[in-house]
């Protein structure tokens, strides 16, 4: 991730003051593999080469400038790539303001990060722009499958499967992240709805608190999303709460999470969910095994729960390149339709098997 | 802007001939801040995080190759970023040929620059592709707010507010820029309309002459745009003339500009405008103050003038990073609707206040 | 192409292990020039500044990581740029799976390459993603005009003019390329159709064998494309075969190719074509002359053949920058409509003259 930066910093030792200004890092991931996908449709399954089996393929540009006195300026621009077809930057649905600000992959332009801000050794970091939500920041540390992938990421089932689509990334936002104090770290974010005449309409806010020290990592986060449709005189609030933890025993690292969600837009359509996840990651043989069991419990509508089991094995060819294989299976009750990052037919089971290569640059 | 280039040039001293070929500079600006925007609509004002408060956010790639004998090859590719949402490269309205070649921000791809050409120490520079118009080249040197921003740039009001949208950047063009002779410098551009069967249809041309020496900078430019709609048997010409100057007294730099515009498409709809601007920029306290008063005088239709007042203060954290705050107010007569880079309701006043951070990389 | 990589590798000698990881190369081509284009339409000809007169303008990111034991990881992301207008990444028609996977220039995102894979000193190279077809790999070595350009590339006439549009690049694919053994080299590719319930539907596969040794280069390739429209219960296969060779006599290099094509989708619409090309490239004066004569012979429908003659002259200002001028003329029988990379009116002649500059970075 920071190689070019490092290289140029080292270069600075030769070049003197001039190149000490150099700080654009071009980085990214290309993750491609064979995938057998059965989304539960009557038409059958699909074989292909898919992008993002372990991590979303992406390209980014970022940099840091030392301003002196413990202050740094930061920027980051990052875009998802559908590397199986090359599609990037160009989806019709651009990331705009409002309740749909947290668009998922391929939503046009630098859909993952577009930020600038300041980092202070004394006071923490403030970033403006489009960035991950506080609840995603927490989740990514707890999920055994980390930053995603089509097999493992439990964002496909938590919050009724809505994290990736609606709450993962927020445009028009400001986020504060504290420095770490004896392992404690807090963050808070606000995303403007940018609605004319009503500042609160369609805004998002989130609060997070974490403790990471030695083998223990505990993360708590809360996310609130206002949804206002002035034309229909409808309004509501979506509320998400997450508590998760990991503990590293060395031979195995255990992962667990609990979430509580209320989706309430428009008024009168309130639906409540609870989520549970237990998982493990462990060095086994020459690689690492990841596994998780997660559940979506619909507390408002009966016979509408879903369960997901995911397992994968990753083998490092280097620090930057690895091979992987994985399998996951999401089972739906008759009233649920959670698929593989999208929707499955009501009551059906969606599964995916893949084997691929991930290269970080 | 030229750090990586510099770094690699220095590297060349170690690497010898091989790296003397290296010359891709990745550069850009991320400018984000809080903005309170009142575009005069009855619905009220809007608060949010906006991109480009002081300069349009952008990313670019450029390079120079020394061909020997005082000759260099140049290329530049530069795209606008709506950094508040990450949108980039992807707007539906791509920059094509014809009268709308000079599209403004976010018009698809490398909307700011896509050029290649030659620079001669003896004869000047020739660039092909999509590039700034001659009249924008002149204006950017005279406007106290320089290369734009949502608060200050008087391109929002000059030429009836059309510079940014229609005359600022020209596709399918060739531009010649002379070297400087005792401070004098000239340039000329031609943008093909690329109309089948009629080379002149929808073409643009511009001529510029400047004198920059010591504290004085004087710029003159003329822009002519043919507008032909063969289907409607309509044709016309838009003509823009600009004269501007700055004088740096040290404690304060004064800015002034006068423009004359005739928009004449389709035939029979001729409208004439005059524009005036007086401005100042001055180092005050730890930063720099910028201010301008500008006017659009509709000489054809009565009660259709507009005035704009803009002020901002910029504080440098480094050569590349600064904080800023600004305010501007555009007042319209009953028949005018100039807004903040777009349109306001007829006769209303549009205003913006912002505070943000701009980082150049 | 590999300058930055080289520079960073050299830097590694100073920086040690850290920068040995550095391996992102930003590279590309900006090719722009004046073009007089007559596509045979009754409306007349067109003058303009066009992109890609000699090679498609493009920008890319690529890298190599040494994994030890003769194994390397590779990635490449490359996008076409319409440098005359700046358009890039943003065309509506994204490259998806199926029979239209081989989309040509400007089809959205990294439309030229999006690949990751492994290269073994012992076993060859495997790449996944979107990449050139085997038949295009063969052709690019045989065509005197090499990797394209609006004047010369015979892909505009071979296979009934369909190579660039439909068979040149394949999404969702895996390709194996052997190492060279005494000049012999083979490759094979498979592109998944990604059709639900029918893996073979809309898939592509290709096989290639080449011999390059000293002055002789012989290339053979076969491409098979399944076209299945389940809704219409239609299916068919497009089959392309190519045999080509070049021989370098030093004072002149001769180029020749023969191709056999059967387009058969939907069932009952089988059309057969044969193609011939003879060409030459030679260092003449301070530059290089390229010329080719090529023909499309429609063996199914009468009075539907086409012939193309192309000539260009290229003058190097450096290894990376050159000037060029070219002319080509494509004549159609009454039943043929092959144009300049697109279609001409039935039976008309399309011609182009250009003069431009190409800069590689």
């Amino acid at each position: 991730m920071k190689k070019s930066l490092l290289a140029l910093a080292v270069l600075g030792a030769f070049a003197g003051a001039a190149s000490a200004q150099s700080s654009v890092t071009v980085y990214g991931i290309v993750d491609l593999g064979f995938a057998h996908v059965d989304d539960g449709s009557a038409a059958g399954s699909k074989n292909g080469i898919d992008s993002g089996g372990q991590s979303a393929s992406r390209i980014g540009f970022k940099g840091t400038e030392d301003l002196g006195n413990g202050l740094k300026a930061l920027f980051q621009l990052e875009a998802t790539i559908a590397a199986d077809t090359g599609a990037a930057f160009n989806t019709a649905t651009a990331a705009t303001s409002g309740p749909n600000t947290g668009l998922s992959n391929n939503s046009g332009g630098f859909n993952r990060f577009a930020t600038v801000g300041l980092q202070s050794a004394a006071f923490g970091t403030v970033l403006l722009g489009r960035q991950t939500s506080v609840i995603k920041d927490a989740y990514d540390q707890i999920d055994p499958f980390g930053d995603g992938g089509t097999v493992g990421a439990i964002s496909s089932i938590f919050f009724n499967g809505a994290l990736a689509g609606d709450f993962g990334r927020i445009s028009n936002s400001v986020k504060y992240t504290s420095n770490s104090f004896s392992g404690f770290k807090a963050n808070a974010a606000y995303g403007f709805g940018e609605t004319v005449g009503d500042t609160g309409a369609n805004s998002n806010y989130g609060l997070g608190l974490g403790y990471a020290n030695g083998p223990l990592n505990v993360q708590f986060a809360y996310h609130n999303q206002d949804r206002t449709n002035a034309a229909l005189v409808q309004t509501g609030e979506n509320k998400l709460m997450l508590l998760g933890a990991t503990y590293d025993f060395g031979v195995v690292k255990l992962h667990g999470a609990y979430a509580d969600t209320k989706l309430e837009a428009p008024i009168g359509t309130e639906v409540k969910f609870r989520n549970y996840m237990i998982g493990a990651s462990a060095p086994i043989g020459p690689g690492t095994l990841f596994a998780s069991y997660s559940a979506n419990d619909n507390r408002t509508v009966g016979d509408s729960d879903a369960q997901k089991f995911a397992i994968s094995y990753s083998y490092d060819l280097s620090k930057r390149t690895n091979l992987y294989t994985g399998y996951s299976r999401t089972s739906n009750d008759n009233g649920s339709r959670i698929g593989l990052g999208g929707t499955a037919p009501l009551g059906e089971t969606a599964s995916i098997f893949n084997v691929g290569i991930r290269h970080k640059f």
Side-chain angles (χ1 to χ4, degrees), chain A:
Chain A
M1 291 283 228
K2 54 183 209 169
K3 316 106 258 175
S4 300
L5 200 55
L6 192 53
L8 288 167
V10 171
L11 177 63
F14 298 97
S19 69
Q21 292 182 19
S22 301
S23 58
V24 184
T25 304
V26 181
Y27 69 95
I29 295 176
V30 184
D31 176 343
L32 285 165
F34 168 80
H36 174 81
V37 177
D38 183 344
D39 70 352
S41 78
S45 60
K46 193 186 76 167
N47 294 308
I49 301 292
D50 283 359
S51 178
Q54 196 173 36
S55 304
S57 296
R58 69 196 69 170
I59 188 166
F61 306 86
K62 64 180 179 181
T64 303
E65 183 194 14
D66 193 339
L67 301 171
N69 299 315
L71 198 64
K72 289 177 181 175
L74 314 168
F75 85 93
Q76 186 169 15
L77 299 166
E78 190 179 296
T80 301
I81 304 168
D84 48 351
T85 64
F89 296 110
N90 60 353
T91 302
T93 313
T96 53
S97 61
N100 297 312
T101 47
L103 291 174
S104 58
N105 290 349
N106 262 334
S107 57
F110 292 107
N111 62 319
R112 299 175 64 85
F113 286 100
T115 56
V116 66
L118 295 173
Q119 182 177 41
S120 158
F123 301 108
T125 303
V126 174
L127 291 173
L128 305 177
R130 177 167 173 83
Q131 52 197 320
T132 50
S133 66
V134 160
I135 207 159
K136 178 169 167 59
D137 289 340
Y139 217 91
D140 286 351
Q141 298 184 52
I142 303 302
D143 189 347
F145 295 89
D147 63 353
T150 49
V151 163
I154 65 176
S155 58
S156 72
I157 186 170
F158 264 51
F159 319 111
N160 200 35
L163 177 67
D166 282 329
F167 307 110
R169 298 177 190 273
I170 309 296
S171 293
N172 305 304
S173 67
V174 52
K175 183 160 77 171
Y176 168 76
T177 304
S178 79
N179 293 325
S180 179
F181 296 99
S182 309
F184 284 98
K185 200 171 178 177
N187 58 2
Y190 181 79
F192 285 87
E194 301 205 343
T195 305
V196 172
D198 185 351
T199 294
N202 301 314
S203 63
N204 287 271
Y205 71 84
L207 298 166
L209 180 65
Y211 176 78
N213 210 346
L216 180 64
N217 186 348
V218 182
Q219 297 290 327
F220 169 82
Y222 175 78
H223 187 93
N224 184 294
Q225 181 183 61
D226 181 90
R227 298 197 70 160
T228 296
N229 186 325
L232 302 177
V233 201
Q234 289 178 333
T235 189
E237 278 183 300
N238 296 329
K239 298 178 182 180
L240 292 71
M241 188 281 297
L242 170 75
L243 180 64
T246 65
Y247 194 94
D248 193 346
F249 290 96
V251 294
V252 62
K253 186 175 176 181
L254 294 185
H255 305 247
Y258 167 77
D260 205 335
T261 305
K262 188 173 73 173
L263 304 178
E264 187 210 46
I267 284 180
T269 64
E270 180 182 296
V271 190
K272 292 182 179 177
F273 302 93
R274 279 196 184 140
N275 296 105
Y276 312 89
M277 182 273 287
I278 53 169
S281 49
I284 292 186
T288 308
L289 188 75
F290 304 92
S292 73
Y293 170 82
S294 47
N296 187 45
D297 172 16
N298 189 323
R299 299 173 60 216
T300 305
V301 184
D303 197 22
S304 297
D305 297 345
Q307 290 82 37
K308 178 177 183 175
F309 174 73
I311 187 165
S312 81
Y313 188 75
S314 184
Y315 173 70
D316 288 350
L317 296 172
S318 75
K319 284 188 178 179
R320 293 167 47 206
T321 306
N322 68 280
L323 305 175
Y324 64 85
T325 184
Y327 174 78
S328 80
R329 182 181 174 88
T330 304
S331 312
N332 289 289
D333 287 355
N334 288 328
S336 177
R337 56 183 313 169
I338 295 180
L340 303 160
T343 54
L346 277 170
E348 296 296 334
T349 295
S351 69
I352 181 173
F353 162 78
N354 68 14
V355 50
I357 180 171
R358 180 181 67 175
H359 176 69
K360 300 179 180 180
F361 59 92

